[in-house]
Amino acid sequence: APAAALGPGQGAGPPLPVPSGLMSVGGAAATLQTMLQASPALSAQIASNPLLASQLQQIAAAAAAPAMLPRINADVQELADHFGLDERIAKQLDDAMKTRQETFDGDMAALWDILETARNPAGLLSVKIKEMADGTFIGQPKIDKDVREMQRMYKLDDQATRKLAEALLNRPNTRKDDVEQLHRHLETSNKPSARVMMMLGKLRSGESLGEPDKRIAPGSYLDRMENEKDREKQKRLDRRGGESTRDRSRDR
């Protein structure tokens, strides 16, 4: 038969202690402790009902658990760890990149390159995050056919190709002349990628690239083309020489 309800002060004894499992959940356990002290009857019921005590323990633990924070994207966290960025700016970058899913990979590649030579990576990144918010940030640019052709002809490395494409994006009014001048500068150079890097300052400041060095460096594009022509010419001469020898042999 169910036990008779106990009235105030009727033989319930001192309040039972909070079960040991609840003592580790901080403020929630303290609140339950107060409730049990105020109601000996409730304390007795919990003590006689292990299932109820277990449920209360789960509720208190859930209430005391810290709220789960959204995880920072793994690529963003990798960049933050590499450059020693604090959690605050990593979170700012993560929030910014959530709005740039279509350009995410290119933007992250550009940030790695930008921060690699920065004296103050956190400060520069703050500037770039603001540019993202303002819509002025340029990530990894699309490599158009003109730049792709220069990369193929002059064997430009990836960094020079990307930086050249980025610089040309800001010179739409002089682009045609720029491309022609770039060809004239690169075709005589035997270090075309380094030559591109040297010309970036003028491209970014809006200056003309000026006249190229007219000397054809050994190993340059024009030098390779000249050598190829010489080889083809020699092959034709060799073929003609062979034909002449055979003709003379027949005449004999």
Side-chain angles (χ1 to χ4, degrees):
L6 295 176
Q10 290 183 326
L16 296 175
V18 179
S20 59
L22 291 176
M23 293 302 293
S24 61
V25 293
T31 301
L32 182 57
Q33 175 85 58
T34 302
M35 292 172 58
L36 294 179
Q37 289 175 346
S39 177
L42 178 60
S43 178
Q45 289 177 353
I46 292 175
S48 64
N49 190 332
L51 178 61
L52 179 58
S54 175
Q55 290 175 339
L56 285 174
Q57 178 179 340
Q58 294 174 10
I59 293 171
M68 292 295 292
L69 297 176
R71 293 185 61 184
I72 291 178
N73 179 278
D75 291 330
V76 173
Q77 188 62 59
E78 181 183 2
L79 181 138
D81 292 342
H82 180 82
F83 293 106
L85 306 175
D86 62 31
E87 184 178 353
R88 177 187 59 82
I89 195 166
K91 181 65 169 60
Q92 290 176 357
L93 177 59
D94 189 61
D95 290 342
M97 296 307 298
K98 281 182 171 64
T99 67
R100 304 176 66 87
Q101 292 302 309
E102 292 185 1
T103 60
F104 184 94
D105 291 339
D107 290 346
M108 290 301 297
L111 287 174
W112 273 94
D113 189 59
I114 290 168
L115 298 181
E116 199 66 57
T117 56
R119 293 183 179 180
N120 180 4
L124 184 55
L125 181 57
S126 294
V127 173
K128 296 305 173 182
I129 292 173
K130 185 177 186 304
E131 288 179 2
M132 290 180 187
D134 295 339
T136 59
F137 177 76
I138 299 177
Q140 194 168 46
K142 181 179 179 180
I143 309 300
D144 63 25
K145 61 181 182 62
D146 291 327
V147 177
R148 189 66 71 191
E149 180 69 5
M150 283 187 276
Q151 182 186 36
R152 182 191 65 79
M153 290 176 62
Y154 309 119
K155 298 178 171 41
L156 301 179
D157 62 33
D158 290 341
Q159 183 184 41
T161 301
R162 186 176 63 77
K163 287 185 175 295
L164 178 58
E166 180 182 334
L168 288 176
L169 281 177
N170 298 320
R171 294 170 63 100
N173 296 332
T174 61
R175 181 184 178 84
K176 184 177 179 180
D177 291 338
D178 290 340
V179 170
E180 291 179 0
Q181 283 192 314
L182 282 164
H183 276 293
R184 292 170 61 196
H185 278 272
L186 296 177
E187 66 187 7
T188 60
S189 174
N190 57 5
K191 295 182 179 179
S193 294
R195 184 64 182 155
V196 166
M197 302 301 284
M198 291 174 62
M199 292 188 289
L200 288 176
K202 288 185 176 181
L203 287 171
R204 289 167 176 165
S205 64
E207 297 178 52
S208 170
L209 295 178
E211 290 299 316
D213 190 341
K214 298 187 185 305
R215 293 173 298 177
I216 299 177
S220 65
Y221 175 78
L222 286 184
D223 182 59
R224 296 199 308 272
M225 294 302 99
E226 287 296 326
N227 290 337
E228 183 65 26
K229 287 180 182 178
D230 290 342
R231 284 193 293 270
E232 288 298 322
K233 182 178 179 180
Q234 187 61 48
K235 286 180 182 178
R236 289 194 297 269
L237 290 173
D238 291 344
R239 284 196 296 269
R240 289 174 185 173
E243 291 172 358
S244 298
T245 302
R246 286 193 296 273
D247 290 341
R248 287 195 298 270
S249 298
R250 293 193 198 98
D251 292 341
R252 293 174 186 172

